Amino acid sequence: MELSRRELLTRTGQAAAVATAASTLTISAEARAEPGERVRLTQGTNISVSRSRDGRWLAIDLVTAIWVLPATGGQARKLTDELQDASLPSFGPDGQIAFQSYRDGNYHLYVIGLDGKGLRQLTRGRYDHREPAFSPDGRHLAFVSDRAGSYGVHLLELATGTVTQLTGVPDEAAAPQWSADGRRIIFTVGNAAVDTVTLDGVRERLVTAPAGTQLFGAAFGPGDQPSYTRMRPGQAELVLGTTAVVTGEDVFGFAPIWAGDSVLYTADGKIRSRTGGSTKDIAFEATVPVRTSRRPHRTRNLTGGAVKGIAGPVVSSDGKIAFRALNALYLLSDGKATKLTDGRYFDSDPDFSPDGTKIVYASDRTGVAQLWVRDLATGQDELYAPAPHAQITPRFSPDGTRVAYLDQDGQVWITDRQARRQVTPTLFQPGRPTWSKDGGTVALAAVKPFSRRFREGTSQILSVDLASGELEYTEPMPFRSIATRGDDGPVWSPDGRHIAFVVESVAWVVPVDGRGKFQGEPRQITHEVTDSLAWHGDDALVYLNNGRIRKSTLDGRVTTVRHGLTWRRPKAPERKVIRVGAYWDGEAHELKRDVDIVVENGKVAEIRPRRGKADVDASGLTAIPGLIDAHNHWHLRGRQWGARQGNVWLAYGVTTVRSPGDPVYQMVETREALAAGTLTGPRFYATGEAVDGSRVYYNFMRPTLSKAQLDLELRRAHELGYDMIKTYVRLPVELQRAAVQRSRVPLSSHYLYPAANIGMDGMEHVGATNRLGYSHTISRQGKAYQDVVALFTTSGMSITPTLFQSRALYDTDKSLVTDERTRVLFPPWEYERYVADAATQGTPAATASRAVLKGWIEFALNVHRGGGFVITGTDAPLDSPATATHQNLRALVEHGFTPREALITATRNPAKWLGLPLGAIKAGAPADIAFVRGNPLADIKAAANVEQVMVGGVLHRVPDLLEPYRRQPQALTASVALDPLPSAENRHWWHEPEWAERVCCDH
């Protein structure tokens, strides 16, 4: 049945359930975790406050709910439930309170009575409506919305529901507030200015932020002077006119409330009133429930079985299939998989020539990823078109004369062997290109944000007309995203008449013209979990379904394509005796000296006084448990890093990594390759794409709009053996709770509450990307207060700080930057960026702040010493793999942790989270050991002085890990670079380089 575009808009959220049985992971909707404890909150991190018109009541937004309390302080009363996800209250007449709510997966405006009755939703739809403010006469709400293409100020007439736009493109307006006479509205613009607008649209600029500062929370003060918070790292000031009236406090940056010369505001976790030079705290108390029992879990150590990690399958014109598995490329024909490459380096993303006689693929055998072509008949390989940058995810043109590929910065290039030409600007994590039949258009998946203010958007089809140089974005369906910007399409059919893509984890096909313009409505083809599409002729699709290769005709007949590949974990090494000068067992307060560590079958069999002959003489070294980095994304830049990445982790003594988000089949393939010993590196525990909501940013997020689709996501997780699940920024609380109820593995997210009460197991970062635009766990100055610490220490949820601000320490110590391991093992462009960033620290151009870092670590230390659960992670490669792990540890010690406490966050604690006997050197534990020079319990920097490292009894010397990359990349004669096409210009604001590159903590 064909669906109209309107029907698609309303029904695609249910597509996943059309012909899919209920997930075996589903449990009763009434199922709940065991009740825990109630936590008393007396401070609030990043809370805002509003005062009733009669001055008797205050409303605050504490732990994403609206509360009211007497204006003099006291016990707070909760008005909204957990699913409402409510914030930013504004009092109107008769005790009405307006607020913003994320209940349905977009921000909308609501009102509720002071008594908690009369809850009413005021706005609806797929756009966000935020930050309401009642007019003085109570007839209107001012708010901001992205409904016009960027955040503009709008008015809602409450009696009629009429919306009027006052400002628009290219504004990024925030937090409107009214003048006392109701004639003007004041607001901030891009955190860089304060403007006003009259009700008939007359604009005026009142304040421009000085260099290095940001402005938040504008309001009208006495005499209609502008009042706002002015922030720079280490300083937040409440300003009236040009005078700072509050200094030396962590002012939260929400609109203050002025009454004469008195001002009500929030700072330092408190509600405060200031008159003249006198400040008074208005005490409050609120009580919330938390779950104290976390789910029992033991991560599985994979031992072998059928290969499920099949990455990037493509189909030849005669029906052969090529793909990556177990760190090598394979060719599948007539049910038999033949290995094409030896797996010594990172060979990935094959594509067949049109006649099926050759494949083009990317390989880092010369040091960085370059294009190679293999003749399938002779087995001969040759470089295709060398370039000074990385060349990844190639696709042959339909006539076989050109190849389209991406570089490390997300730029699309086309080469014909002799010359190459850039055809797009820098794109943020775009998908793999596809060609029109005539070779005149290249299309790929690319993100298109809704606004500058919030980076999330939808993953759309970006078409590049190679003749005109025009770029065009096309939604796959209204307000819907291509499932992931990897191998989920778009993919052009060989006859050029259709494009296939995945939306909400099922395949769709749409008729198109020669340039890719839709000529009809998309039609659903599959009804099961569908990933990584490839055309099989013009009338069938090959795809991956939870580790299986499947084929579906366009009329829905599905078969399984057998490949017969299996793997198994190699036999543990023979018994070894390692003689060490000292060791730390993971618990003791002092080193134990002069021992032999006996390793048998990959485990520590015995630790004994020295005797006899040792197999390994490390008597000048100290043995410590291998480090665990509990937050990184191996394949965020996995193709660009290639085989180097595993070596760099090991070279710095990191023997286990945990990824809370990766492209799923890249992740499973790498996990199996590491476990099978076909790839060198640490133990790898991971999840696939994070489960997100209606809008996405990264390429490895799963836009999820319904519980039916959530079942598909969890089915994939279960059948591919995820070690955890991460729910991401735009997933509403109701679906986050459903994920907890239906999942068998631990879950983590960017949120503390109500996550701590619905059964989530951890929170990532101190306070990273948040749908609010700010965090309720850390202030903009990097501080957390009693509410946050109490919730963490009582609930037992883990916190992974990911201390990006630890870069600030490079201003005085660049030893990790200049270390030979870093210089040799980082890809050249990554090393150049790393050196440049380290050089800025301590200068006005610095990307990190010592003041903010200090606040972050004080937060982590309070949680740790309060009995909470802190685990080290870095978000590499957004921060640097392995070196950032040590920089995090050094920062912890710099600001209060003892070296032992810091090491525990990178050994015992993450091992506990994984449910594995790692992070210790003791009899029976896996032999994951770093051998370092010095005493890390006395000097944390010694933990980085790794000379040898062991994983499961397999010993690696650091020089051996460096050897493949010690030589400079092979001297290549690069193809000629032609002038870029006009389409490579930055014509859209989200193509600007600063948008495409990570800024600290926005992830």
Side-chain angles (χ1 to χ4, degrees):
M1 178 180 66
E2 298 290 343
L3 299 180
S4 71
R5 205 158 178 80
R6 181 178 298 275
E7 288 171 321
L8 284 166
L9 174 62
T10 58
R11 293 178 58 182
T12 48
Q14 302 175 18
V18 170
T20 303
S23 168
T24 57
L25 298 179
T26 302
I27 64 172
S28 167
E30 287 73 36
R32 297 290 185 268
E34 290 299 316
E37 298 184 21
R38 299 189 69 81
V39 180
R40 176 175 169 266
L41 309 179
T42 58
Q43 293 182 350
T45 302
N46 263 355
I47 57 172
S48 68
V49 64
S50 180
R51 183 163 53 202
S52 64
R53 299 293 175 89
D54 61 11
R56 296 174 55 198
W57 298 95
L58 301 179
I60 59 174
D61 51 355
L62 181 67
V63 290
T64 60
I66 306 300
W67 304 70
V68 293
L69 66 148
T72 54
Q75 186 69 41
R77 176 167 47 89
K78 189 177 180 182
L79 300 185
T80 59
D81 65 22
E82 291 180 348
L83 298 185
Q84 201 70 51
D85 198 359
S87 50
L88 299 178
S90 173
F91 261 111
D94 303 321
Q96 291 293 295
I97 301 170
F99 60 92
Q100 66 178 22
S101 166
Y102 194 73
R103 186 170 196 127
D104 69 356
N106 282 92
Y107 272 105
H108 290 297
L109 310 183
Y110 285 72
V111 292
I112 195 170
L114 182 63
D115 58 1
K117 298 178 180 179
L119 178 68
R120 182 160 58 102
Q121 184 173 351
L122 304 177
T123 61
R124 287 175 170 79
R126 292 294 183 181
Y127 293 106
D128 281 345
H129 303 76
R130 298 175 181 256
E131 300 159 4
F134 263 110
S135 61
D137 63 9
R139 295 170 55 192
H140 293 85
L141 284 177
F143 66 96
V144 295
S145 175
D146 58 6
R147 57 197 284 158
S150 69
Y151 270 88
V153 177
H154 294 70
L155 291 184
L156 171 65
E157 186 177 32
L158 291 167
T160 65
T162 301
V163 172
T164 304
Q165 183 179 341
L166 296 183
T167 73
V169 178
D171 279 347
E172 291 301 338
Q177 296 291 319
W178 294 82
S179 61
D181 61 9
R183 296 181 179 179
R184 289 189 298 163
I185 294 171
I186 192 170
F187 56 97
T188 59
V189 182
N191 299 336
V194 175
D195 282 11
T196 63
V197 63
T198 63
L199 299 191
D200 54 4
V202 178
R203 290 280 295 272
E204 181 181 2
R205 170 91 10 122
L206 300 185
V207 182
T208 300
T213 66
Q214 292 185 306
L215 309 181
F216 299 93
F220 286 104
D224 274 355
Q225 297 179 85
S227 179
Y228 52 90
T229 303
R230 182 172 61 206
M231 290 196 188
R232 60 174 57 89
Q235 184 181 72
E237 301 171 312
L238 180 58
V239 178
L240 177 62
T242 59
T243 303
V245 295
V246 175
T247 61
E249 299 179 18
D250 184 15
V251 183
F252 286 160
F254 301 103
I257 301 169
W258 287 90
D261 66 347
S262 295
V263 62
L264 182 71
Y265 64 101
T266 55
D268 295 341
K270 302 173 183 178
I271 306 168
R272 284 184 168 152
S273 177
R274 183 178 179 88
T275 304
S278 176
T279 300
K280 176 184 177 183
D281 290 341
I282 301 173
F284 67 87
E285 181 177 320
T287 305
V288 296
V290 296
R291 304 287 164 82
T292 55
S293 58
R294 308 264 72 85
R295 72 190 64 232
H297 174 61
R298 182 180 178 85
T299 300
R300 295 181 304 120
N301 274 315
L302 300 180
T303 57
V307 167
K308 294 184 176 182
I310 300 165
V314 290
V315 185
S316 69
S317 54
D318 58 356
K320 298 183 179 68
I321 299 175
F323 55 87
R324 172 180 169 83
L326 298 175
N327 201 39
L329 298 184
Y330 285 83
L331 182 67
L332 176 60
S333 179
D334 297 325
K336 180 181 179 182
T338 303
K339 190 175 181 181
L340 298 179
T341 60
D342 61 17
R344 294 177 60 201
Y345 292 96
F346 189 82
D347 303 326
S348 68
D349 299 294
D351 191 50
F352 286 100
S353 61
D355 62 8
T357 63
K358 299 180 176 66
I359 59 168
V360 63
Y361 62 99
S363 174
D364 66 350
R365 68 189 66 176
T366 61
V368 297
Q370 296 282 278
L371 301 183
W372 291 76
V373 170
R374 166 165 289 208
D375 186 306
L376 294 176
T378 67
Q380 294 299 307
D381 280 325
E382 61 176 333
L383 277 163
Y384 182 78
H389 50 239
Q391 298 176 309
I392 57 177
T393 62
R395 292 279 194 194
F396 266 119
S397 64
D399 63 3
T401 63
R402 294 171 292 166
V403 170
Y405 67 89
L406 300 176
D407 69 10
Q408 71 272 6
D409 292 322
Q411 298 171 345
V412 180
W413 295 75
I414 291 177
T415 179
D416 62 1
R417 303 201 75 159
Q418 284 72 44
R420 67 185 188 278
R421 189 190 300 269
Q422 183 184 345
V423 301
T424 73
T426 297
L427 304 173
F428 184 73
Q429 296 183 344
R432 190 173 185 176
T434 187
W435 292 83
S436 63
K437 180 176 175 57
D438 65 2
T441 303
V442 169
L444 65 158
V447 67
K448 184 179 180 183
F450 279 78
S451 73
R452 285 180 185 263
R453 188 177 168 201
F454 296 93
R455 68 190 187 181
E456 289 82 17
T458 53
S459 294
Q460 302 187 11
I461 300 171
L462 174 60
S463 301
V464 186
D465 188 316
L466 300 180
S468 68
E470 291 298 315
L471 295 176
E472 183 176 358
Y473 283 85
T474 303
E475 292 179 300
M477 298 173 198
F479 296 99
R480 295 302 195 266
S481 283
I482 302 290
T484 67
R485 298 192 307 277
D487 296 315
D488 285 339
V491 186
W492 230 302
S493 62
D495 63 8
R497 297 174 56 192
H498 293 89
I499 282 178
F501 49 77
V502 178
V503 168
E504 296 177 21
S505 290
V506 292
W508 301 75
V509 168
V510 63
V512 294
D513 67 11
R515 290 291 174 264
K517 293 184 182 295
F518 287 15
Q519 301 299 297
E521 303 293 351
R523 180 164 62 92
Q524 185 176 347
I525 302 300
T526 63
H527 299 87
E528 62 183 359
V529 176
T530 303
D531 297 307
S532 199
L533 293 177
W535 283 93
H536 193 294
D538 296 319
D539 59 357
L541 294 170
V542 164
Y543 58 92
L544 299 175
N545 168 248
N546 299 344
R548 295 174 288 270
I549 303 175
R550 302 273 272 175
K551 176 184 174 183
S552 175
T553 60
L554 297 190
D555 59 5
R557 288 173 293 157
V558 178
T559 56
T560 298
V561 181
R562 309 292 179 185
H563 58 72
L565 288 177
T566 61
W567 71 274
R568 65 178 180 179
R569 184 178 292 277
K571 184 180 178 181
E574 296 296 321
R575 182 178 187 270
K576 277 190 175 65
V577 177
I578 304 108
R579 180 154 296 160
V580 297
Y583 87 104
W584 178 58
D585 62 6
E587 293 288 349
H589 290 264
E590 301 289 342
L591 297 182
K592 300 175 183 178
R593 300 190 178 276
D594 299 327
V595 299
D596 289 341
I597 301 173
V598 182
V599 175
E600 293 179 352
N601 299 317
K603 296 182 178 181
V604 176
E606 181 186 9
I607 303 168
R608 69 189 190 195
R610 291 183 180 183
R611 70 169 185 263
K613 183 179 179 181
D615 300 296
V616 178
D617 184 5
S619 55
L621 304 178
T622 300
I624 64 173
L627 301 180
I628 302 172
D629 188 302
H631 188 123
N632 49 78
H633 303 281
W634 191 293
H635 282 285
L636 191 149
R637 296 180 193 157
R639 293 173 170 96
Q640 295 92 319
W641 274 83
R644 298 168 176 266
Q645 188 170 176
N647 289 27
V648 75
W649 287 115
L650 293 183
Y652 278 101
V654 178
T655 56
T656 299
V657 295
R658 184 197 71 156
S659 168
D662 257 318
V664 56
Y665 283 97
Q666 302 292 329
M667 177 275 286
V668 176
E669 187 276 333
T670 295
R671 189 175 62 175
E672 289 179 348
L674 288 165
T678 57
L679 178 65
T680 299
R683 299 177 191 268
F684 183 37
Y685 300 100
T687 185
E689 295 89 1
V691 181
D692 210 345
S694 59
R695 301 182 181 186
V696 296
Y697 181 58
Y698 288 99
N699 64 349
F700 56 96
M701 303 299 164
R702 290 277 175 189
T704 304
L705 285 78
S706 68
K707 288 185 178 179
Q709 186 196 342
L710 180 63
D711 273 349
L712 288 188
E713 308 308 327
L714 296 179
R715 183 182 289 276
R716 180 194 290 109
H718 172 57
E719 294 191 18
L720 291 178
Y722 286 16
D723 298 301
M724 62 173 291
I725 289 172
K726 184 177 181 182
T727 62
Y728 205 58
V729 171
R730 295 279 301 197
L731 191 74
V733 173
E734 183 175 12
L735 289 183
Q736 186 185 41
R737 184 178 67 179
V740 172
Q741 294 169 351
R742 302 174 187 202
S743 176
R744 297 177 179 176
V745 296
L747 296 97
S748 189
S749 73
H750 282 196
Y751 300 106
L752 172 58
Y753 204 87
N757 192 42
I758 63 177
M760 296 290 287
D761 299 283
M763 192 187 95
E764 307 303 311
H765 318 289
V766 290
T769 305
N770 189 299
R771 52 181 169 257
L772 282 168
Y774 58 91
S775 173
H776 272 309
T777 54
I778 202 81
S779 74
R780 293 181 173 99
Q781 290 298 320
K783 299 179 180 179
Y785 294 93
Q786 180 269 343
D787 57 331
V788 174
V789 174
L791 287 169
F792 272 117
T793 55
T794 304
S795 69
M797 280 180 64
S798 65
I799 171 71
T800 318
T802 63
L803 301 173
F804 293 99
Q805 301 289 346
S806 66
R807 296 174 177 189
L809 302 187
Y810 287 132
D811 65 345
T812 57
D813 181 4
K814 295 181 175 62
S815 58
L816 291 171
V817 181
T818 59
D819 192 289
E820 182 190 22
R821 291 167 291 180
T822 310
R823 288 187 286 106
V824 170
L825 291 175
F826 277 40
W829 53 86
E830 294 281 356
Y831 187 65
E832 289 172 10
R833 292 171 179 167
Y834 188 34
V835 170
D837 185 62
T840 69
Q841 304 310 321
T843 75
T847 59
S849 161
R850 279 183 175 266
V852 174
L853 175 64
K854 183 175 184 291
W856 284 9
I857 294 173
E858 287 175 350
F859 162 26
L861 186 60
N862 286 335
V863 172
H864 173 75
R865 291 190 178 166
F869 195 20
V870 179
I871 59 179
T872 288
T874 56
D875 219 3
L878 293 176
D879 209 340
S880 52
T883 59
T885 312
H886 289 283
Q887 194 73 349
N888 274 231
L889 297 178
R890 294 177 184 190
L892 292 175
V893 174
E894 177 89 2
H895 292 292
F897 280 73
T898 67
R900 175 181 174 273
E901 288 175 315
L903 287 169
I904 283 173
T905 72
T907 52
R908 184 183 71 191
N909 284 5
K912 178 182 175 183
W913 203 97
L914 291 168
L916 291 170
L918 302 170
I921 301 177
K922 62 182 181 181
D928 291 12
I929 304 170
F931 300 92
V932 306
R933 191 164 295 279
N935 179 0
L937 296 183
D939 179 5
I940 192 61
K941 292 182 179 180
N945 298 338
V946 180
E947 297 190 11
Q948 300 180 63
V949 64
M950 179 176 278
V951 183
V954 177
L955 189 67
H956 304 271
R957 297 173 59 251
V958 167
D960 296 334
L961 296 170
L962 271 59
E963 181 57 31
Y965 303 99
R966 277 189 189 279
R967 301 176 299 277
Q968 292 298 313
Q970 178 178 322
L972 305 175
T973 302
S975 56
V976 176
L978 303 177
D979 291 337
L981 283 184
S983 54
E985 298 175 8
N986 289 341
R987 299 183 185 182
H988 300 288
W989 55 261
W990 60 91
H991 294 164
E992 296 170 1
E994 60 266 30
W995 183 264
E997 294 180 7
R998 183 197 60 76
V999 177
C1000 177
C1001 318
D1002 283 341
H1003 53 280

